[in-house]
Amino acid sequence: MKNGPVAGSASIPGVAAPGSVRPAQSAPAAASPSSETTPGAGSRASARRPAAAPSTQAISARLLAAEVNTPPLRPAARPAPSRAEKYRPQIPPAVRSAYVTRAKDPLLQAEPLYRDVAEHSGVRWQLLAACDWMQCRAAAKYSPVHGEKLGRVNADGTSYRTKSEALEQCADELAALAWAVYGIDLAGRRYLSVRDLANVFAAFRWGGLLRRHRTSAMEFPYSVAGLTGRHLKMRWPNVDEPRAPDKPGGRFRMPFGAVPVVLFLNYPATV
């Protein structure tokens, strides 16, 4: 894990210590998700929306922090090649066909919006597009935060009247949780490996639960379903966690996860 906590550490006690250096994005504080949704909350939105209760993701990050009782540490430097090796996708034809028939058109139509939000959020547009698809199938009148219709007031009092506002919220959640749980800095300019991308989306959906239960994000269907032939017909990790946002051990019913979406959008992931 990297040195330095998430700003606004009161939102995730134990993960952060005030005054340390961290990525530009803020920490989340959002409502609990349903089985098909993920919340998000960030400091940019807090000026225009009421404060919300901690999400399951934020709560699980706290549980993780309570166990280690120290800020995340930067891992020891590993020798790296001058140029990272590019990942070569092994996505099965059936998954590719499902993407083309279901997701390609709505994602490409919304690409200018994703790019505009990404330009000032620090999160690459392909990750925002993947969140939009996974949460609400990139429907124009729906929010990717909870998967709810735009303008609807959620149980926590939050409401997102525009798609861009909701996407900014997701960007905050992605960046803050990726940093708090896995020490991944989305504000950096480098492209992420497939494994790091899987970690980012695992943190977005389940916070620190996978780390707490020693489970790899490469087994997390929301991240990697459909990535290769071995990632078909996946199930949610069967962990003993009553507060998991999705039913542990239950079947994952989507044909592909977030990482395949990112790869389909020509994100140059590394090995």
Side-chain angles (χ1 to χ4, degrees):
M1 303 287 283
K2 298 183 180 180
N3 283 324
V6 178
S9 57
S11 298
I12 310 180
V15 173
S20 299
V21 177
R22 42 88 44 196
Q25 288 79 7
S26 56
S32 298
S34 67
S35 61
E36 290 297 327
T37 61
T38 300
S43 62
R44 283 198 301 271
S46 62
R48 54 184 182 267
R49 289 190 294 273
S55 65
T56 299
Q57 288 89 333
I59 291 171
S60 60
R62 288 175 179 158
L63 293 174
L64 173 67
E67 292 176 0
V68 297
N69 288 320
T70 57
L73 301 177
R74 187 183 300 276
R78 293 178 296 179
S82 57
R83 179 176 298 179
E85 183 180 352
K86 185 176 180 180
Y87 176 79
R88 296 182 180 180
Q90 307 169 46
I91 297 175
V95 175
R96 188 175 297 275
S97 176
Y99 170 80
V100 170
T101 57
R102 302 184 190 185
K104 182 178 179 180
D105 286 348
L107 289 177
L108 292 182
Q109 288 171 9
E111 180 179 340
L113 177 59
Y114 301 143
R115 287 183 177 275
D116 188 45
V117 173
E119 187 174 348
H120 53 86
S121 72
V123 174
R124 294 188 183 274
W125 73 270
Q126 293 98 331
L127 276 68
L128 295 180
C131 285
D132 197 23
W133 174 258
M134 299 299 292
Q135 295 298 110
C136 64
R137 309 300 188 272
K141 295 183 179 180
Y142 284 78
S143 157
V145 179
H146 294 273
E148 81 282 14
K149 194 169 185 179
L150 290 173
R152 174 186 170 186
V153 178
N154 299 303
D156 61 357
T158 59
S159 176
Y160 308 92
R161 299 189 64 84
T162 66
K163 190 82 168 186
S164 53
E165 181 185 27
L167 287 168
E168 284 193 19
Q169 192 80 349
C170 287
D172 288 334
E173 182 90 354
L174 276 167
L177 285 169
W179 174 258
V181 179
Y182 292 104
I184 298 172
D185 181 4
L186 291 188
R189 299 184 66 84
R190 70 182 181 90
Y191 288 105
L192 300 179
S193 67
V194 165
R195 184 180 64 179
D196 280 348
L197 286 170
N199 286 336
V200 168
F201 290 109
F204 181 76
R205 184 76 178 191
W206 273 25
L209 291 181
L210 293 188
R211 288 209 63 192
R212 186 167 183 254
H213 291 275
R214 299 184 177 184
T215 300
S216 170
M218 297 304 293
E219 292 187 286
F220 192 61
Y222 186 89
S223 296
V224 298
L227 183 63
T228 73
R230 296 187 300 276
H231 296 90
L232 299 175
K233 298 182 180 179
M234 297 184 72
R235 292 181 175 271
W236 295 103
N238 191 15
V239 299
D240 184 15
E241 182 55 64
R243 287 177 293 178
D246 304 281
K247 183 180 179 182
R251 181 183 174 188
F252 183 74
R253 299 185 179 278
M254 296 179 69
F256 47 82
V259 173
V261 173
V262 170
L263 297 177
F264 280 130
L265 295 173
N266 299 316
Y267 180 96
T270 62
V271 174

